[in-house]
Short mmCIF file of all heavy atoms in Angstrom, two decimals:
data_model
loop_
_atom_site.label_atom_id
_atom_site.label_comp_id
_atom_site.label_asym_id
_atom_site.label_seq_id
_atom_site.Cartn_x
_atom_site.Cartn_y
_atom_site.Cartn_z
N THR A 2 8.03 9.34 -42.25
CA THR A 2 8.06 8.48 -43.43
C THR A 2 6.68 7.93 -43.78
O THR A 2 5.79 7.86 -42.93
CB THR A 2 9.01 7.28 -43.23
OG1 THR A 2 8.46 6.41 -42.25
CG2 THR A 2 10.40 7.74 -42.80
N THR A 3 6.55 7.53 -45.01
CA THR A 3 5.31 6.92 -45.48
C THR A 3 5.05 5.62 -44.71
O THR A 3 3.91 5.31 -44.39
CB THR A 3 5.40 6.63 -46.99
OG1 THR A 3 5.71 7.86 -47.65
CG2 THR A 3 4.12 6.07 -47.53
N ASP A 4 6.13 4.89 -44.39
CA ASP A 4 5.99 3.64 -43.65
C ASP A 4 5.36 3.88 -42.28
O ASP A 4 4.46 3.14 -41.87
CB ASP A 4 7.36 2.96 -43.48
CG ASP A 4 7.26 1.68 -42.66
OD1 ASP A 4 6.50 0.77 -43.07
OD2 ASP A 4 7.93 1.59 -41.61
N LEU A 5 5.79 4.91 -41.57
CA LEU A 5 5.22 5.21 -40.25
C LEU A 5 3.76 5.59 -40.37
O LEU A 5 2.93 5.15 -39.56
CB LEU A 5 6.01 6.31 -39.55
CG LEU A 5 7.43 5.97 -39.14
CD1 LEU A 5 8.09 7.18 -38.48
CD2 LEU A 5 7.46 4.77 -38.21
N LEU A 6 3.42 6.39 -41.36
CA LEU A 6 2.02 6.77 -41.56
C LEU A 6 1.17 5.55 -41.91
O LEU A 6 0.04 5.42 -41.42
CB LEU A 6 1.90 7.84 -42.65
CG LEU A 6 2.44 9.22 -42.27
CD1 LEU A 6 2.45 10.14 -43.48
CD2 LEU A 6 1.64 9.81 -41.13
N GLN A 7 1.71 4.67 -42.73
CA GLN A 7 0.99 3.44 -43.09
C GLN A 7 0.74 2.60 -41.84
O GLN A 7 -0.35 2.08 -41.63
CB GLN A 7 1.78 2.65 -44.14
CG GLN A 7 1.01 1.52 -44.75
CD GLN A 7 -0.20 1.99 -45.55
OE1 GLN A 7 -0.17 3.04 -46.20
NE2 GLN A 7 -1.27 1.24 -45.50
N ARG A 8 1.77 2.45 -41.01
CA ARG A 8 1.64 1.67 -39.78
C ARG A 8 0.63 2.33 -38.82
O ARG A 8 -0.09 1.65 -38.11
CB ARG A 8 3.00 1.55 -39.09
CG ARG A 8 3.96 0.63 -39.80
CD ARG A 8 5.33 0.62 -39.12
NE ARG A 8 6.24 -0.32 -39.74
CZ ARG A 8 6.26 -1.62 -39.49
NH1 ARG A 8 5.43 -2.14 -38.61
NH2 ARG A 8 7.12 -2.41 -40.11
N GLY A 9 0.57 3.63 -38.81
CA GLY A 9 -0.31 4.35 -37.91
C GLY A 9 -1.79 4.28 -38.26
O GLY A 9 -2.65 4.51 -37.41
N LYS A 10 -2.10 3.92 -39.48
CA LYS A 10 -3.50 3.89 -39.94
C LYS A 10 -4.37 2.91 -39.18
O LYS A 10 -5.56 3.15 -38.99
CB LYS A 10 -3.57 3.55 -41.43
CG LYS A 10 -3.17 4.68 -42.33
CD LYS A 10 -3.31 4.29 -43.79
CE LYS A 10 -2.91 5.46 -44.67
NZ LYS A 10 -3.01 5.13 -46.09
N THR A 11 -3.81 1.77 -38.76
CA THR A 11 -4.63 0.72 -38.16
C THR A 11 -4.56 0.70 -36.62
O THR A 11 -5.09 -0.22 -36.01
CB THR A 11 -4.17 -0.66 -38.68
OG1 THR A 11 -2.79 -0.84 -38.34
CG2 THR A 11 -4.35 -0.75 -40.19
N ILE A 12 -3.95 1.71 -36.02
CA ILE A 12 -3.75 1.71 -34.57
C ILE A 12 -5.07 1.94 -33.83
O ILE A 12 -5.80 2.89 -34.10
CB ILE A 12 -2.70 2.77 -34.17
CG1 ILE A 12 -1.36 2.47 -34.83
CG2 ILE A 12 -2.58 2.87 -32.65
CD1 ILE A 12 -0.80 1.08 -34.58
N LYS A 13 -5.34 1.06 -32.89
CA LYS A 13 -6.53 1.16 -32.03
C LYS A 13 -6.14 1.36 -30.56
O LYS A 13 -6.97 1.72 -29.73
CB LYS A 13 -7.37 -0.12 -32.13
CG LYS A 13 -7.83 -0.46 -33.50
CD LYS A 13 -8.96 0.42 -33.93
CE LYS A 13 -9.51 -0.04 -35.28
NZ LYS A 13 -9.88 1.07 -36.12
N LEU A 14 -4.85 1.09 -30.23
CA LEU A 14 -4.36 1.21 -28.86
C LEU A 14 -2.96 1.79 -28.88
O LEU A 14 -2.08 1.26 -29.58
CB LEU A 14 -4.33 -0.17 -28.18
CG LEU A 14 -3.67 -0.26 -26.81
CD1 LEU A 14 -4.45 0.52 -25.76
CD2 LEU A 14 -3.50 -1.72 -26.38
N ALA A 15 -2.76 2.88 -28.14
CA ALA A 15 -1.43 3.48 -27.99
C ALA A 15 -0.96 3.24 -26.56
O ALA A 15 -1.69 3.54 -25.60
CB ALA A 15 -1.48 4.98 -28.29
#
Side-chain angles (χ1 to χ4, degrees):
T2 69
T3 304
D4 178 58
L5 293 179
L6 290 172
Q7 190 64 35
R8 289 176 176 278
K10 285 182 180 179
T11 59
I12 299 305
K13 303 284 186 218
L14 172 66

